[in-house]
Amino acid sequence: MSASTLAIHGKGGAYGSSILRKSHSKLMRKTHMKTESEVHYGSLFSAGQPDIPRQRNFRVEAGWLFKGGEGLDATCERSESANEDILIFFFQLDLATRVQFSLNMEQYEVAQQLRNKLTEVEAEVIRMQEAKRGSTSKSEAQDKAISILRLRADMQNAIEGENYALAAELRDEISKLEAESLAASAKALAYGNAQYAFRLGQKLSHRLFGYRAVVCGMDPICCESNMWKETAHVEKLSRGSNQPFYQVLVDVHADPNLLVAYVPEENLVAPDKPDMGRFDHPYISFLFYGMDASGDFIPVKQLREKYNRPRHEVPMDPEEEEGGKDG
């Protein structure tokens, strides 16, 4: 897999190579990478990005047909940050592939440069994930608790000294820190006890908009911006933002412009019977090995490791097993 492939698969700017360029530039700035291959990558990420090819029999249902009531349509759950997260994951896979290729070609100096870059990128990605997922929230809550104890002691001293104005200021600061500490603790707890109804690679349909989708990522709570939450009307969800949200690939036959959506668990529905139908998306071949016997996609090992998800084994059909024995 090469980065130029990602640029070609992008959809005209908003979801194509422009986001990959931004992701690449952001990581490069934060990790201060200055190897020879940086120039090479920069040229790849600035490549053109033609639209998804439209074949003669390529059936497309217009995105505006997906209405969900109250004036909502499917684009309200479009997520650039989810798409960027996927593209950064591709970038990591590409670097790892180039490291192995250089080793196979006995280009050890190039391999070392790429390995150093990969290590720095992975460290930055981990830091970004910790900030997003609250992995550092537990220590943050502990730090705030210590600050609260100190402020309470200062407030008591202010009261004893009859400095009530200072005591009032300290009281307000304590209240603010207590709220922040509670939020940090709740976020850390949510990630530590995450329970998901759906799994990576599972084919689902949207409860409101009806399109078919495949799960490629998940968070135990909504990790999007406040602006995105407002656009998606998250506050009107029956379970609100404190429920699992999924990164899903949208079948391009349904809407070639949506590409990646960030969907709350309550808006996704699993099919009653295995969905063996065709599912097309430019990211499928990078994230999954193929389909299993139940029609769902098998995530690549690196994707399972990213979300710490176990390998899903398709249960054996007792009737088929019995038929095989008879045969």
Side-chain angles (χ1 to χ4, degrees):
M1 180 193 71
S2 67
S4 57
T5 306
L6 299 181
I8 292 174
H9 279 156
K11 174 67 178 76
Y15 276 80
S17 61
S18 62
I19 289 181
L20 186 55
R21 288 197 302 271
K22 288 191 291 183
S23 305
H24 171 262
S25 300
K26 183 189 301 181
L27 288 169
M28 288 301 176
R29 286 196 302 272
K30 292 183 178 180
T31 53
H32 306 289
M33 302 169 195
K34 299 184 181 299
T35 64
E36 295 178 0
S37 57
E38 182 173 348
V39 178
H40 174 63
Y41 273 99
S43 63
L44 286 176
F45 295 146
S46 62
Q49 62 278 6
D51 290 348
I52 297 173
R54 303 194 178 211
Q55 303 170 358
R56 288 184 180 179
N57 297 325
F58 189 74
R59 176 174 163 271
V60 176
E61 301 174 15
W64 54 264
L65 291 177
F66 294 122
K67 297 294 182 181
E70 299 185 7
L72 293 177
D73 61 36
T75 59
C76 73
E77 292 177 341
R78 175 186 292 158
S79 175
E80 289 192 8
S81 62
N83 190 68
E84 181 178 357
D85 184 64
I86 295 170
L87 293 177
I88 292 174
F89 178 69
F90 290 165
F91 180 47
Q92 289 179 270
L93 291 182
D94 188 47
L95 276 176
T97 301
R98 289 174 180 272
V99 168
Q100 188 58 53
F101 177 78
S102 298
L103 291 173
N104 293 343
M105 299 298 293
E106 298 184 358
Q107 298 175 347
Y108 301 116
E109 184 176 350
V110 174
Q112 186 60 49
Q113 288 181 343
L114 290 170
R115 184 183 286 112
N116 292 341
K117 177 182 289 187
L118 178 60
T119 300
E120 293 176 352
V121 169
E122 288 175 341
E124 178 60 26
V125 168
I126 290 173
R127 190 199 65 77
M128 293 167 62
Q129 289 177 342
E130 287 179 344
K132 171 186 175 185
R133 299 184 177 186
S135 298
T136 59
S137 294
K138 186 174 181 180
S139 59
E140 180 184 348
Q142 293 172 344
D143 292 340
K144 291 184 183 298
I146 294 173
S147 298
I148 290 171
L149 290 175
R150 291 173 179 169
L151 288 173
R152 281 178 177 165
D154 293 341
M155 185 177 68
Q156 185 62 36
N157 292 333
I159 292 173
E160 292 175 355
E162 297 184 358
N163 189 345
Y164 300 115
L166 176 59
E169 291 179 4
L170 292 171
R171 179 198 60 203
D172 293 341
E173 189 171 351
I174 289 171
S175 298
K176 181 181 177 182
L177 280 175
E178 285 177 337
E180 292 175 352
S181 177
L182 182 62
S185 298
K187 190 173 184 180
L189 184 62
Y191 270 94
N193 301 322
Q195 297 291 329
Y196 299 103
F198 308 115
R199 63 182 182 277
L200 292 172
Q202 189 171 2
K203 284 182 182 175
L204 306 169
S205 62
H206 199 288
R207 187 184 300 276
L208 301 179
F209 307 130
Y211 61 72
R212 296 164 66 236
V214 172
V215 176
C216 65
M218 53 192 63
D219 297 313
I221 57 176
C222 182
C223 294
E224 270 286 0
S225 65
N226 291 331
M227 182 179 296
W228 184 93
K229 291 178 183 179
E230 183 177 348
T231 301
H233 292 196
V234 172
E235 76 282 355
K236 295 183 180 180
L237 296 170
S238 63
R239 296 167 59 187
S241 62
N242 292 323
Q243 63 174 304
F245 274 68
Y246 297 83
Q247 294 178 7
V248 299
L249 307 180
V250 180
D251 190 347
V252 295
H253 293 281
D255 190 339
N257 300 314
L258 187 53
L259 206 64
V260 178
Y262 195 57
V263 186
E265 190 170 81
E266 68 180 68
N267 282 350
L268 293 170
V269 183
D272 295 330
K273 57 183 180 179
D275 180 1
M276 305 302 297
R278 177 175 175 177
F279 187 98
D280 288 320
H281 192 284
Y283 295 172
I284 284 290
S285 60
F286 301 123
L287 295 172
F288 304 102
Y289 293 121
M291 284 199 304
D292 60 24
S294 64
D296 294 323
F297 286 94
I298 305 170
V300 297
K301 179 183 178 182
Q302 295 90 333
L303 187 62
R304 287 192 292 105
E305 291 175 345
K306 177 181 178 181
Y307 291 99
N308 193 27
R309 308 312 296 168
R311 179 174 179 175
H312 174 70
E313 299 292 342
V314 180
M316 179 70 70
D317 188 332
E319 294 183 3
E320 291 184 4
E321 187 177 10
E322 189 65 29
K325 290 180 179 178
D326 294 341

